[in-house]
PDB file of all heavy atoms in Angstrom:
ATOM      1  N   PHE A 289      14.686   2.964  19.343  1.00 90.00           N
ATOM      2  CA  PHE A 289      15.898   3.050  20.150  1.00 90.00           C
ATOM      3  C   PHE A 289      15.569   2.842  21.627  1.00 90.00           C
ATOM      4  O   PHE A 289      16.267   2.102  22.335  1.00 90.00           O
ATOM      5  CB  PHE A 289      16.564   4.416  19.944  1.00 90.00           C
ATOM      6  CG  PHE A 289      17.640   4.407  18.898  1.00 90.00           C
ATOM      7  CD1 PHE A 289      17.321   4.465  17.554  1.00 90.00           C
ATOM      8  CD2 PHE A 289      18.974   4.338  19.259  1.00 90.00           C
ATOM      9  CE1 PHE A 289      18.303   4.450  16.588  1.00 90.00           C
ATOM     10  CE2 PHE A 289      19.975   4.329  18.306  1.00 90.00           C
ATOM     11  CZ  PHE A 289      19.641   4.379  16.957  1.00 90.00           C
ATOM     12  N   SER A 290      14.519   3.501  22.093  1.00 92.00           N
ATOM     13  CA  SER A 290      14.164   3.386  23.507  1.00 92.00           C
ATOM     14  C   SER A 290      13.725   1.969  23.861  1.00 92.00           C
ATOM     15  O   SER A 290      14.090   1.440  24.928  1.00 92.00           O
ATOM     16  CB  SER A 290      13.038   4.369  23.833  1.00 92.00           C
ATOM     17  OG  SER A 290      13.463   5.706  23.647  1.00 92.00           O
ATOM     18  N   PHE A 292      14.579  -0.879  22.380  1.00 92.00           N
ATOM     19  CA  PHE A 292      15.753  -1.756  22.422  1.00 92.00           C
ATOM     20  C   PHE A 292      16.589  -1.479  23.668  1.00 92.00           C
ATOM     21  O   PHE A 292      17.208  -2.395  24.231  1.00 92.00           O
ATOM     22  CB  PHE A 292      16.595  -1.571  21.163  1.00 92.00           C
ATOM     23  CG  PHE A 292      16.071  -2.338  19.978  1.00 92.00           C
ATOM     24  CD1 PHE A 292      15.597  -1.678  18.861  1.00 92.00           C
ATOM     25  CD2 PHE A 292      16.037  -3.724  19.987  1.00 92.00           C
ATOM     26  CE1 PHE A 292      15.105  -2.380  17.768  1.00 92.00           C
ATOM     27  CE2 PHE A 292      15.542  -4.436  18.902  1.00 92.00           C
ATOM     28  CZ  PHE A 292      15.069  -3.761  17.785  1.00 92.00           C
ATOM     29  N   GLY A 293      16.603  -0.220  24.098  1.00 92.00           N
ATOM     30  CA  GLY A 293      17.293   0.086  25.351  1.00 92.00           C
ATOM     31  C   GLY A 293      16.650  -0.605  26.533  1.00 92.00           C
ATOM     32  O   GLY A 293      17.343  -1.102  27.431  1.00 92.00           O
ATOM     33  N   VAL A 294      15.323  -0.659  26.564  1.00 92.00           N
ATOM     34  CA  VAL A 294      14.617  -1.363  27.641  1.00 92.00           C
ATOM     35  C   VAL A 294      14.914  -2.856  27.592  1.00 92.00           C
ATOM     36  O   VAL A 294      15.058  -3.512  28.632  1.00 92.00           O
ATOM     37  CB  VAL A 294      13.106  -1.085  27.538  1.00 92.00           C
ATOM     38  CG1 VAL A 294      12.316  -1.997  28.477  1.00 92.00           C
ATOM     39  CG2 VAL A 294      12.809   0.369  27.872  1.00 92.00           C
ATOM     40  N   LEU A 295      15.029  -3.415  26.386  1.00 91.00           N
ATOM     41  CA  LEU A 295      15.389  -4.836  26.278  1.00 91.00           C
ATOM     42  C   LEU A 295      16.758  -5.103  26.888  1.00 91.00           C
ATOM     43  O   LEU A 295      16.967  -6.121  27.563  1.00 91.00           O
ATOM     44  CB  LEU A 295      15.372  -5.267  24.809  1.00 91.00           C
ATOM     45  CG  LEU A 295      14.000  -5.331  24.122  1.00 91.00           C
ATOM     46  CD1 LEU A 295      14.158  -5.783  22.675  1.00 91.00           C
ATOM     47  CD2 LEU A 295      13.051  -6.264  24.864  1.00 91.00           C
ATOM     48  N   PHE A 296      17.712  -4.203  26.668  1.00 90.00           N
ATOM     49  CA  PHE A 296      19.025  -4.349  27.289  1.00 90.00           C
ATOM     50  C   PHE A 296      18.933  -4.208  28.816  1.00 90.00           C
ATOM     51  O   PHE A 296      19.642  -4.898  29.547  1.00 90.00           O
ATOM     52  CB  PHE A 296      19.997  -3.295  26.730  1.00 90.00           C
ATOM     53  CG  PHE A 296      20.628  -3.681  25.437  1.00 90.00           C
ATOM     54  CD1 PHE A 296      20.207  -3.107  24.245  1.00 90.00           C
ATOM     55  CD2 PHE A 296      21.658  -4.615  25.388  1.00 90.00           C
ATOM     56  CE1 PHE A 296      20.790  -3.456  23.037  1.00 90.00           C
ATOM     57  CE2 PHE A 296      22.244  -4.971  24.186  1.00 90.00           C
ATOM     58  CZ  PHE A 296      21.806  -4.395  23.003  1.00 90.00           C
ATOM     59  N   LEU A 297      18.063  -3.310  29.267  1.00 89.00           N
ATOM     60  CA  LEU A 297      17.969  -3.058  30.708  1.00 89.00           C
ATOM     61  C   LEU A 297      17.314  -4.203  31.466  1.00 89.00           C
ATOM     62  O   LEU A 297      17.771  -4.582  32.551  1.00 89.00           O
ATOM     63  CB  LEU A 297      17.176  -1.765  30.959  1.00 89.00           C
ATOM     64  CG  LEU A 297      17.843  -0.453  30.547  1.00 89.00           C
ATOM     65  CD1 LEU A 297      16.874   0.695  30.712  1.00 89.00           C
ATOM     66  CD2 LEU A 297      19.094  -0.216  31.377  1.00 89.00           C
ATOM     67  N   LEU A 298      16.256  -4.759  30.912  1.00 85.00           N
ATOM     68  CA  LEU A 298      15.471  -5.767  31.629  1.00 85.00           C
ATOM     69  C   LEU A 298      15.906  -7.184  31.336  1.00 85.00           C
ATOM     70  O   LEU A 298      15.330  -8.130  31.891  1.00 85.00           O
ATOM     71  CB  LEU A 298      13.987  -5.594  31.305  1.00 85.00           C
ATOM     72  CG  LEU A 298      13.392  -4.249  31.709  1.00 85.00           C
ATOM     73  CD1 LEU A 298      11.919  -4.180  31.353  1.00 85.00           C
ATOM     74  CD2 LEU A 298      13.581  -3.995  33.203  1.00 85.00           C
ATOM     75  N   GLY A 299      16.870  -7.370  30.467  1.00 73.00           N
ATOM     76  CA  GLY A 299      17.416  -8.692  30.225  1.00 73.00           C
ATOM     77  C   GLY A 299      16.636  -9.448  29.177  1.00 73.00           C
ATOM     78  O   GLY A 299      15.753  -8.924  28.490  1.00 73.00           O
ATOM     79  N   ALA A 418      12.285   3.488  33.130  1.00 92.00           N
ATOM     80  CA  ALA A 418      13.128   2.299  33.276  1.00 92.00           C
ATOM     81  C   ALA A 418      14.598   2.677  33.396  1.00 92.00           C
ATOM     82  O   ALA A 418      15.328   2.114  34.224  1.00 92.00           O
ATOM     83  CB  ALA A 418      12.912   1.356  32.097  1.00 92.00           C
ATOM     84  N   ALA A 419      15.047   3.636  32.589  1.00 93.00           N
ATOM     85  CA  ALA A 419      16.453   4.021  32.632  1.00 93.00           C
ATOM     86  C   ALA A 419      16.817   4.679  33.959  1.00 93.00           C
ATOM     87  O   ALA A 419      17.885   4.407  34.532  1.00 93.00           O
ATOM     88  CB  ALA A 419      16.763   4.966  31.470  1.00 93.00           C
ATOM     89  N   LEU A 420      15.950   5.549  34.473  1.00 94.00           N
ATOM     90  CA  LEU A 420      16.230   6.210  35.751  1.00 94.00           C
ATOM     91  C   LEU A 420      16.291   5.205  36.896  1.00 94.00           C
ATOM     92  O   LEU A 420      17.156   5.305  37.786  1.00 94.00           O
ATOM     93  CB  LEU A 420      15.162   7.271  36.034  1.00 94.00           C
ATOM     94  CG  LEU A 420      15.168   8.502  35.126  1.00 94.00           C
ATOM     95  CD1 LEU A 420      13.964   9.385  35.425  1.00 94.00           C
ATOM     96  CD2 LEU A 420      16.461   9.287  35.287  1.00 94.00           C
ATOM     97  N   TYR A 421      15.387   4.229  36.886  1.00 93.00           N
ATOM     98  CA  TYR A 421      15.400   3.228  37.954  1.00 93.00           C
ATOM     99  C   TYR A 421      16.655   2.365  37.889  1.00 93.00           C
ATOM    100  O   TYR A 421      17.260   2.042  38.929  1.00 93.00           O
ATOM    101  CB  TYR A 421      14.154   2.356  37.854  1.00 93.00           C
ATOM    102  CG  TYR A 421      14.109   1.259  38.889  1.00 93.00           C
ATOM    103  CD1 TYR A 421      13.801   1.552  40.214  1.00 93.00           C
ATOM    104  CD2 TYR A 421      14.400  -0.062  38.545  1.00 93.00           C
ATOM    105  CE1 TYR A 421      13.768   0.550  41.181  1.00 93.00           C
ATOM    106  CE2 TYR A 421      14.368  -1.063  39.500  1.00 93.00           C
ATOM    107  CZ  TYR A 421      14.058  -0.753  40.813  1.00 93.00           C
ATOM    108  OH  TYR A 421      14.036  -1.745  41.771  1.00 93.00           O
ATOM    109  N   GLN A 422      17.082   1.998  36.689  1.00 92.00           N
ATOM    110  CA  GLN A 422      18.292   1.196  36.558  1.00 92.00           C
ATOM    111  C   GLN A 422      19.523   1.998  36.987  1.00 92.00           C
ATOM    112  O   GLN A 422      20.442   1.441  37.614  1.00 92.00           O
ATOM    113  CB  GLN A 422      18.446   0.721  35.110  1.00 92.00           C
ATOM    114  CG  GLN A 422      17.388  -0.270  34.661  1.00 92.00           C
ATOM    115  CD  GLN A 422      17.488  -1.607  35.352  1.00 92.00           C
ATOM    116  OE1 GLN A 422      18.579  -2.060  35.675  1.00 92.00           O
ATOM    117  NE2 GLN A 422      16.343  -2.241  35.587  1.00 92.00           N
ATOM    118  N   LEU A 423      19.559   3.276  36.667  1.00 92.00           N
ATOM    119  CA  LEU A 423      20.679   4.107  37.111  1.00 92.00           C
ATOM    120  C   LEU A 423      20.728   4.186  38.628  1.00 92.00           C
ATOM    121  O   LEU A 423      21.798   4.113  39.238  1.00 92.00           O
ATOM    122  CB  LEU A 423      20.560   5.509  36.512  1.00 92.00           C
ATOM    123  CG  LEU A 423      21.011   5.689  35.063  1.00 92.00           C
ATOM    124  CD1 LEU A 423      20.833   7.148  34.633  1.00 92.00           C
ATOM    125  CD2 LEU A 423      22.474   5.277  34.894  1.00 92.00           C
ATOM    126  N   TRP A 424      19.557   4.357  39.244  1.00 92.00           N
ATOM    127  CA  TRP A 424      19.536   4.391  40.707  1.00 92.00           C
ATOM    128  C   TRP A 424      19.974   3.048  41.278  1.00 92.00           C
ATOM    129  O   TRP A 424      20.732   3.007  42.269  1.00 92.00           O
ATOM    130  CB  TRP A 424      18.132   4.714  41.202  1.00 92.00           C
ATOM    131  CG  TRP A 424      18.031   4.640  42.694  1.00 92.00           C
ATOM    132  CD1 TRP A 424      18.343   5.629  43.587  1.00 92.00           C
ATOM    133  CD2 TRP A 424      17.637   3.503  43.472  1.00 92.00           C
ATOM    134  NE1 TRP A 424      18.144   5.179  44.873  1.00 92.00           N
ATOM    135  CE2 TRP A 424      17.724   3.879  44.840  1.00 92.00           C
ATOM    136  CE3 TRP A 424      17.213   2.222  43.147  1.00 92.00           C
ATOM    137  CZ2 TRP A 424      17.395   3.003  45.859  1.00 92.00           C
ATOM    138  CZ3 TRP A 424      16.885   1.352  44.166  1.00 92.00           C
ATOM    139  CH2 TRP A 424      16.978   1.740  45.507  1.00 92.00           C
ATOM    140  N   GLY A 425      19.529   1.953  40.695  1.00 91.00           N
ATOM    141  CA  GLY A 425      19.907   0.645  41.201  1.00 91.00           C
ATOM    142  C   GLY A 425      21.400   0.395  41.083  1.00 91.00           C
ATOM    143  O   GLY A 425      22.029  -0.126  42.014  1.00 91.00           O
ATOM    144  N   MET A 426      21.999   0.771  39.951  1.00 91.00           N
ATOM    145  CA  MET A 426      23.446   0.585  39.793  1.00 91.00           C
ATOM    146  C   MET A 426      24.226   1.538  40.689  1.00 91.00           C
ATOM    147  O   MET A 426      25.294   1.189  41.201  1.00 91.00           O
ATOM    148  CB  MET A 426      23.832   0.780  38.320  1.00 91.00           C
ATOM    149  CG  MET A 426      23.338  -0.336  37.405  1.00 91.00           C
ATOM    150  SD  MET A 426      23.900  -0.179  35.688  1.00 91.00           S
ATOM    151  CE  MET A 426      22.928   1.249  35.152  1.00 91.00           C
ATOM    152  N   GLY A 427      23.703   2.757  40.880  1.00 89.00           N
ATOM    153  CA  GLY A 427      24.397   3.697  41.754  1.00 89.00           C
ATOM    154  C   GLY A 427      24.338   3.301  43.210  1.00 89.00           C
ATOM    155  O   GLY A 427      25.289   3.526  43.975  1.00 89.00           O
ATOM    156  N   ILE A 431      21.683  -3.147  41.974  1.00 87.00           N
ATOM    157  CA  ILE A 431      21.662  -3.840  40.690  1.00 87.00           C
ATOM    158  C   ILE A 431      23.100  -3.945  40.206  1.00 87.00           C
ATOM    159  O   ILE A 431      23.857  -2.961  40.246  1.00 87.00           O
ATOM    160  CB  ILE A 431      20.794  -3.090  39.657  1.00 87.00           C
ATOM    161  CG1 ILE A 431      19.346  -3.021  40.141  1.00 87.00           C
ATOM    162  CG2 ILE A 431      20.859  -3.764  38.295  1.00 87.00           C
ATOM    163  CD1 ILE A 431      18.425  -2.242  39.215  1.00 87.00           C
ATOM    164  N   ALA A 432      23.486  -5.124  39.753  1.00 87.00           N
ATOM    165  CA  ALA A 432      24.854  -5.340  39.294  1.00 87.00           C
ATOM    166  C   ALA A 432      25.115  -4.545  38.020  1.00 87.00           C
ATOM    167  O   ALA A 432      24.294  -4.529  37.096  1.00 87.00           O
ATOM    168  CB  ALA A 432      25.093  -6.825  39.054  1.00 87.00           C
ATOM    169  N   LEU A 433      26.260  -3.881  37.994  1.00 88.00           N
ATOM    170  CA  LEU A 433      26.642  -3.107  36.818  1.00 88.00           C
ATOM    171  C   LEU A 433      27.064  -4.048  35.691  1.00 88.00           C
ATOM    172  O   LEU A 433      27.851  -4.970  35.896  1.00 88.00           O
ATOM    173  CB  LEU A 433      27.795  -2.161  37.173  1.00 88.00           C
ATOM    174  CG  LEU A 433      28.313  -1.267  36.044  1.00 88.00           C
ATOM    175  CD1 LEU A 433      27.232  -0.279  35.602  1.00 88.00           C
ATOM    176  CD2 LEU A 433      29.556  -0.507  36.505  1.00 88.00           C
ATOM    177  N   SER A 434      26.509  -3.813  34.504  1.00 89.00           N
ATOM    178  CA  SER A 434      26.844  -4.651  33.356  1.00 89.00           C
ATOM    179  C   SER A 434      26.877  -3.795  32.096  1.00 89.00           C
ATOM    180  O   SER A 434      26.326  -2.686  32.057  1.00 89.00           O
ATOM    181  CB  SER A 434      25.821  -5.788  33.199  1.00 89.00           C
ATOM    182  OG  SER A 434      24.542  -5.266  32.905  1.00 89.00           O
ATOM    183  N   PHE A 435      27.531  -4.330  31.089  1.00 90.00           N
ATOM    184  CA  PHE A 435      27.649  -3.595  29.825  1.00 90.00           C
ATOM    185  C   PHE A 435      26.284  -3.410  29.170  1.00 90.00           C
ATOM    186  O   PHE A 435      25.985  -2.341  28.614  1.00 90.00           O
ATOM    187  CB  PHE A 435      28.587  -4.365  28.885  1.00 90.00           C
ATOM    188  CG  PHE A 435      28.714  -3.738  27.527  1.00 90.00           C
ATOM    189  CD1 PHE A 435      29.468  -2.589  27.331  1.00 90.00           C
ATOM    190  CD2 PHE A 435      28.060  -4.293  26.427  1.00 90.00           C
ATOM    191  CE1 PHE A 435      29.573  -2.006  26.083  1.00 90.00           C
ATOM    192  CE2 PHE A 435      28.171  -3.717  25.174  1.00 90.00           C
ATOM    193  CZ  PHE A 435      28.931  -2.575  25.000  1.00 90.00           C
ATOM    194  N   GLY A 436      25.436  -4.441  29.241  1.00 90.00           N
ATOM    195  CA  GLY A 436      24.124  -4.347  28.623  1.00 90.00           C
ATOM    196  C   GLY A 436      23.268  -3.254  29.251  1.00 90.00           C
ATOM    197  O   GLY A 436      22.558  -2.521  28.555  1.00 90.00           O
ATOM    198  N   LYS A 437      23.328  -3.121  30.577  1.00 91.00           N
ATOM    199  CA  LYS A 437      22.531  -2.086  31.237  1.00 91.00           C
ATOM    200  C   LYS A 437      23.044  -0.690  30.906  1.00 91.00           C
ATOM    201  O   LYS A 437      22.249   0.255  30.762  1.00 91.00           O
ATOM    202  CB  LYS A 437      22.517  -2.323  32.744  1.00 91.00           C
ATOM    203  CG  LYS A 437      21.814  -3.617  33.135  1.00 91.00           C
ATOM    204  CD  LYS A 437      21.685  -3.749  34.629  1.00 91.00           C
ATOM    205  CE  LYS A 437      21.040  -5.080  35.013  1.00 91.00           C
ATOM    206  NZ  LYS A 437      19.691  -5.234  34.427  1.00 91.00           N
ATOM    207  N   VAL A 438      24.347  -0.540  30.793  1.00 92.00           N
ATOM    208  CA  VAL A 438      24.903   0.763  30.406  1.00 92.00           C
ATOM    209  C   VAL A 438      24.470   1.124  28.990  1.00 92.00           C
ATOM    210  O   VAL A 438      24.081   2.273  28.711  1.00 92.00           O
ATOM    211  CB  VAL A 438      26.444   0.738  30.539  1.00 92.00           C
ATOM    212  CG1 VAL A 438      27.045   2.029  29.976  1.00 92.00           C
ATOM    213  CG2 VAL A 438      26.858   0.558  31.994  1.00 92.00           C
ATOM    214  N   VAL A 439      24.526   0.137  28.094  1.00 93.00           N
ATOM    215  CA  VAL A 439      24.086   0.389  26.720  1.00 93.00           C
ATOM    216  C   VAL A 439      22.594   0.731  26.684  1.00 93.00           C
ATOM    217  O   VAL A 439      22.164   1.639  25.958  1.00 93.00           O
ATOM    218  CB  VAL A 439      24.390  -0.846  25.829  1.00 93.00           C
ATOM    219  CG1 VAL A 439      23.755  -0.682  24.446  1.00 93.00           C
ATOM    220  CG2 VAL A 439      25.894  -1.028  25.693  1.00 93.00           C
ATOM    221  N   GLY A 440      21.788   0.023  27.482  1.00 92.00           N
ATOM    222  CA  GLY A 440      20.358   0.307  27.516  1.00 92.00           C
ATOM    223  C   GLY A 440      20.057   1.709  27.995  1.00 92.00           C
ATOM    224  O   GLY A 440      19.246   2.427  27.392  1.00 92.00           O
ATOM    225  N   CYS A 441      20.720   2.123  29.080  1.00 93.00           N
ATOM    226  CA  CYS A 441      20.534   3.494  29.570  1.00 93.00           C
ATOM    227  C   CYS A 441      20.969   4.513  28.530  1.00 93.00           C
ATOM    228  O   CYS A 441      20.308   5.553  28.340  1.00 93.00           O
ATOM    229  CB  CYS A 441      21.303   3.696  30.870  1.00 93.00           C
ATOM    230  SG  CYS A 441      20.644   2.795  32.292  1.00 93.00           S
ATOM    231  N   PHE A 442      22.080   4.229  27.859  1.00 94.00           N
ATOM    232  CA  PHE A 442      22.572   5.153  26.841  1.00 94.00           C
ATOM    233  C   PHE A 442      21.566   5.309  25.701  1.00 94.00           C
ATOM    234  O   PHE A 442      21.280   6.435  25.257  1.00 94.00           O
ATOM    235  CB  PHE A 442      23.912   4.641  26.296  1.00 94.00           C
ATOM    236  CG  PHE A 442      24.475   5.478  25.178  1.00 94.00           C
ATOM    237  CD1 PHE A 442      25.087   6.688  25.435  1.00 94.00           C
ATOM    238  CD2 PHE A 442      24.374   5.039  23.857  1.00 94.00           C
ATOM    239  CE1 PHE A 442      25.586   7.462  24.402  1.00 94.00           C
ATOM    240  CE2 PHE A 442      24.881   5.798  22.823  1.00 94.00           C
ATOM    241  CZ  PHE A 442      25.492   7.013  23.094  1.00 94.00           C
ATOM    242  N   LEU A 443      21.000   4.205  25.225  1.00 93.00           N
ATOM    243  CA  LEU A 443      20.032   4.277  24.133  1.00 93.00           C
ATOM    244  C   LEU A 443      18.782   5.062  24.541  1.00 93.00           C
ATOM    245  O   LEU A 443      18.278   5.892  23.775  1.00 93.00           O
ATOM    246  CB  LEU A 443      19.647   2.858  23.690  1.00 93.00           C
ATOM    247  CG  LEU A 443      20.722   2.044  22.961  1.00 93.00           C
ATOM    248  CD1 LEU A 443      20.207   0.634  22.680  1.00 93.00           C
ATOM    249  CD2 LEU A 443      21.134   2.720  21.666  1.00 93.00           C
ATOM    250  N   VAL A 444      18.285   4.809  25.745  1.00 94.00           N
ATOM    251  CA  VAL A 444      17.075   5.496  26.193  1.00 94.00           C
ATOM    252  C   VAL A 444      17.325   6.994  26.340  1.00 94.00           C
ATOM    253  O   VAL A 444      16.516   7.828  25.890  1.00 94.00           O
ATOM    254  CB  VAL A 444      16.571   4.891  27.518  1.00 94.00           C
ATOM    255  CG1 VAL A 444      15.425   5.722  28.079  1.00 94.00           C
ATOM    256  CG2 VAL A 444      16.110   3.455  27.303  1.00 94.00           C
ATOM    257  N   PHE A 445      18.453   7.362  26.952  1.00 94.00           N
ATOM    258  CA  PHE A 445      18.726   8.780  27.169  1.00 94.00           C
ATOM    259  C   PHE A 445      19.021   9.510  25.865  1.00 94.00           C
ATOM    260  O   PHE A 445      18.610  10.667  25.687  1.00 94.00           O
ATOM    261  CB  PHE A 445      19.895   8.951  28.144  1.00 94.00           C
ATOM    262  CG  PHE A 445      19.509   8.782  29.575  1.00 94.00           C
ATOM    263  CD1 PHE A 445      19.999   7.726  30.319  1.00 94.00           C
ATOM    264  CD2 PHE A 445      18.645   9.676  30.187  1.00 94.00           C
ATOM    265  CE1 PHE A 445      19.640   7.566  31.640  1.00 94.00           C
ATOM    266  CE2 PHE A 445      18.271   9.524  31.509  1.00 94.00           C
ATOM    267  CZ  PHE A 445      18.769   8.462  32.243  1.00 94.00           C
ATOM    268  N   VAL A 446      19.710   8.860  24.950  1.00 93.00           N
ATOM    269  CA  VAL A 446      19.966   9.490  23.654  1.00 93.00           C
ATOM    270  C   VAL A 446      18.659   9.718  22.902  1.00 93.00           C
ATOM    271  O   VAL A 446      18.434  10.783  22.309  1.00 93.00           O
ATOM    272  CB  VAL A 446      20.941   8.623  22.827  1.00 93.00           C
ATOM    273  CG1 VAL A 446      20.968   9.073  21.368  1.00 93.00           C
ATOM    274  CG2 VAL A 446      22.339   8.719  23.408  1.00 93.00           C
ATOM    275  N   SER A 447      17.776   8.731  22.928  1.00 92.00           N
ATOM    276  CA  SER A 447      16.485   8.867  22.248  1.00 92.00           C
ATOM    277  C   SER A 447      15.659   9.989  22.869  1.00 92.00           C
ATOM    278  O   SER A 447      15.054  10.811  22.162  1.00 92.00           O
ATOM    279  CB  SER A 447      15.722   7.551  22.314  1.00 92.00           C
ATOM    280  OG  SER A 447      14.453   7.678  21.717  1.00 92.00           O
TER     281      SER A 447
END
Side-chain angles (χ1 to χ4, degrees):
F289 265 80
S290 297
F292 279 115
V294 170
L295 291 180
F296 277 104
L297 291 173
L298 299 180
L420 291 174
Y421 178 75
Q422 293 292 326
L423 280 180
W424 175 85
M426 290 184 289
I431 298 177
L433 180 65
S434 64
F435 177 75
K437 295 186 183 301
V438 173
V439 172
C441 291
F442 177 77
L443 290 176
V444 172
F445 280 114
V446 167
S447 177

